[in-house]
Structures are given as structure tokens and as C-alpha cells.
């Protein structure tokens, strides 16, 4: 694209900036795949969810604790790699390094991983109403990765789509943390988007609790 167009910048990114964005985006998506996306549908389908309902533990709290434990090392790996990449980019005069943005990136990265956990949880709770959700989940997964900027920055799709995405949680999964890391946001934008990110976590948590309570009333223990 850059070679044939003969320009130094496209959609607000230089060639090096676009490569940097793509690498960081794939790192985040790779380490943030929730384990519940595979476990919950199987527990519902096979009837093994029943054994958890008989124990004095909340199913989602248990899975969320497992999720945090499983991704702790992956999170630090991504954070360290992201920091090293931006240091290298700074040394090559591709990006300007800022310690505050590097540290704040870690906080927004935690929030983005939690956002993905709740979004995937909402999809997988549909297993209470549908027998097989594996294929649908893979389709939703591609949809989510496209509209959170997992393949290319959202700015490539145009300003109108970006403005629409501002009213969804998808913009705050990848685009926002990476913009924090690269220092592309003004201080007021950084804090405002952070509050929106926190707000979406709260909204999705409420949605998960609501659907879980409705789904569990439809649950029928079948299987072996």
C-alpha cells in the first residue's frame, strides 16, 4: 500500500507505525483469549455444569479466577515485549517514548483483557439456548477482532465507522491501549477514554450476571 501510493503516511500511520500497531495488536489478542470460550459451552452441553452448581462457589467467579491465573504470565510477557518494542521504536526515531504512557498502557491492557473476557462470556452463555455454539463463536471471534482493530487500525475503515465504534466496547480493546502506548492521545482524551473503558467493564459485567441468571433457569442437566 505504501509502495504503490508513494505516500509517507496513510490513515494517520506511517509505515513503521502501521507495522508497530499490527505487532502489538496481535500480541494482545494472542494472550487475551478467554479460556471460558471453550469451557463453558462444554460444561453446559455435557451437563458437567451441575457439579459446580452444587458447590459453594460461583461458576463465573471460579472461571474468572482461572482466567486471571492463566493469563498473568502472558500479560507480563506482552507488557514487556510492548515496552521493548516502543523503546526500539524510540531509538530508531519512529516513536517518542514516554514513561507515563508505558506505565498507563499496562493498566489499559488489563482492562482490555477483562473486556474481552466479558464479551466472549456473553457469547458463550448462549449455550443455554443453543446446542452448538462453537461455529458461531468462531464467526463472532473474527467479527470482534476486525471491529476492535485486531487486523488493521479502525481508521482504515473511515472516520464514520470510528465514530460509531466510540459507542461500543470494541474501540477500547485494542485501539485505545495502543494509542496510549504510542502517545497519540491528549491527556484529556486519555483519561476520558479510560473512564469509558471502565464503564464498559461495568456494563458488560451487569449483562453477564443478567444473562447468567436467565440462562441458569433454562439449564437442563443432560449428558453422561
Amino acid at each position: 500500500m505504501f509502495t504503490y501510493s508513494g505516500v509517507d503516511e496513510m490513515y494517520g500511520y506511517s509505515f513503521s507505525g502501521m507495522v508497530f500497531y499490527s505487532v502489538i495488536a496481535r500480541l494482545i489478542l494472542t494472550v487475551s483469549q478467554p479460556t471460558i470460550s471453550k469451557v463453558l459451552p462444554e460444561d453446559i452441553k455435557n451437563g458437567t455444569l451441575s457439579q459446580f452448581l452444587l458447590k459453594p462457589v460461583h461458576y463465573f467467579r471460579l472461571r474468572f479466577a482461572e482466567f486471571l491465573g492463566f493469563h498473568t504470565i502472558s500479560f507480563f510477557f506482552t507488557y514487556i515485549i510492548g515496552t521493548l518494542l516502543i523503546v526500539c521504536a524510540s531509538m530508531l526515531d519512529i516513536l517518542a517514548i514516554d514513561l507515563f504512557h508505558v506505565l498507563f498502557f499496562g493498566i489499559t491492557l488489563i482492562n482490555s483483557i477483562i473486556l474481552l473476557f466479558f464479551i466472549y462470556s456473553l457469547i458463550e452463555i448462549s449455550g443455554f439456548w443453543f446446542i452448538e455454539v462453537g461455529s458461531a463463536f468462531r464467526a463472532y471471534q473474527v467479527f470482534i477482532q476486525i471491529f476492535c482493530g485486531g487486523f488493521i487500525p479502525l481508521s482504515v475503515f473511515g472516520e464514520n465507522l470510528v465514530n460509531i465504534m466510540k459507542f461500543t466496547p470494541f474501540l477500547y480493546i485494542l485501539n485505545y491501549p495502543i494509542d496510549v502506548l504510542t502517545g497519540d492521545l491528549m491527556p484529556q482524551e486519555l483519561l476520558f477514554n479510560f473512564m469509558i473503558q471502565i464503564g464498559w467493564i461495568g456494563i458488560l459485567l451487569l449483562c453477564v450476571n443478567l444473562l447468567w441468571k436467565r440462562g441458569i433457569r433454562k439449564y437442563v442437566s443432560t449428558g453422561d
Side-chain angles (χ1 to χ4, degrees):
M1 291 170 60
F2 282 90
T3 300
Y4 284 104
S5 62
V7 297
D8 296 326
E9 185 175 294
M10 296 182 67
Y11 308 107
Y13 292 87
S14 65
F15 174 75
S16 301
M18 188 76 76
V19 172
F20 179 81
Y21 177 96
S22 301
V23 172
I24 295 296
R26 296 316 303 172
L27 274 175
I28 295 175
L29 287 177
T30 299
V31 304
S32 60
Q33 296 302 312
T35 53
I36 196 171
S37 63
K38 298 179 180 179
V39 176
L40 177 56
E42 290 299 317
D43 285 344
I44 297 174
K45 183 177 179 181
N46 299 331
T48 52
L49 178 60
S50 301
Q51 60 181 300
F52 294 99
L53 300 179
L54 297 174
K55 296 178 180 179
V57 61
H58 192 282
Y59 182 85
F60 261 95
R61 292 174 185 171
L62 174 64
R63 293 306 184 197
F64 186 65
E66 292 178 347
F67 165 76
L68 291 179
F70 182 79
H71 288 286
T72 297
I73 296 178
S74 299
F75 162 78
F76 283 110
F77 174 79
T78 303
Y79 183 65
I80 292 171
I81 293 297
T83 301
L84 291 176
L85 285 174
I86 199 167
V87 169
C88 292
S90 176
M91 294 174 63
L92 295 173
D93 293 326
I94 298 173
L95 295 170
I97 190 170
D98 187 302
L99 181 60
F100 171 76
H101 287 96
V102 172
L103 295 176
F104 202 74
F105 166 70
I107 300 175
T108 59
L109 178 59
I110 293 174
N111 289 341
S112 68
I113 293 174
I114 295 175
L115 275 175
L116 275 174
F117 174 84
F118 286 137
I119 290 174
Y120 284 137
S121 296
L122 286 173
I123 298 171
E124 296 311 319
I125 290 176
S126 64
F128 285 116
W129 290 271
F130 303 99
I131 297 177
E132 181 58 54
V133 297
S135 299
F137 172 78
R138 285 188 286 272
Y140 286 130
Q141 193 175 34
V142 173
F143 173 85
I144 290 171
Q145 291 188 14
I146 290 175
F147 287 100
C148 74
F151 297 105
I152 53 177
L154 290 178
S155 59
V156 174
F157 297 104
E159 185 178 353
N160 291 333
L161 180 63
V162 173
N163 290 332
I164 294 174
M165 289 296 103
K166 289 180 180 179
F167 297 95
T168 73
F170 302 117
L171 182 73
Y172 308 95
I173 294 174
L174 285 179
N175 255 67
Y176 170 56
I178 296 176
D179 284 345
V180 169
L181 182 61
T182 56
D184 290 337
L185 297 175
M186 299 295 290
Q188 58 271 23
E189 291 180 301
L190 187 149
L191 294 176
F192 180 73
N193 288 342
F194 179 74
M195 296 304 297
I196 295 178
Q197 192 184 45
I198 294 294
W200 271 116
I201 290 177
I203 292 172
L204 291 174
L205 176 59
L206 290 175
C207 291
V208 167
N209 283 330
L210 178 63
L211 282 182
W212 173 260
K213 291 178 181 178
R214 297 193 63 173
I216 205 67
R217 287 198 289 266
K218 296 182 65 67
Y219 173 67
V220 177
S221 180
T222 58
D224 297 333

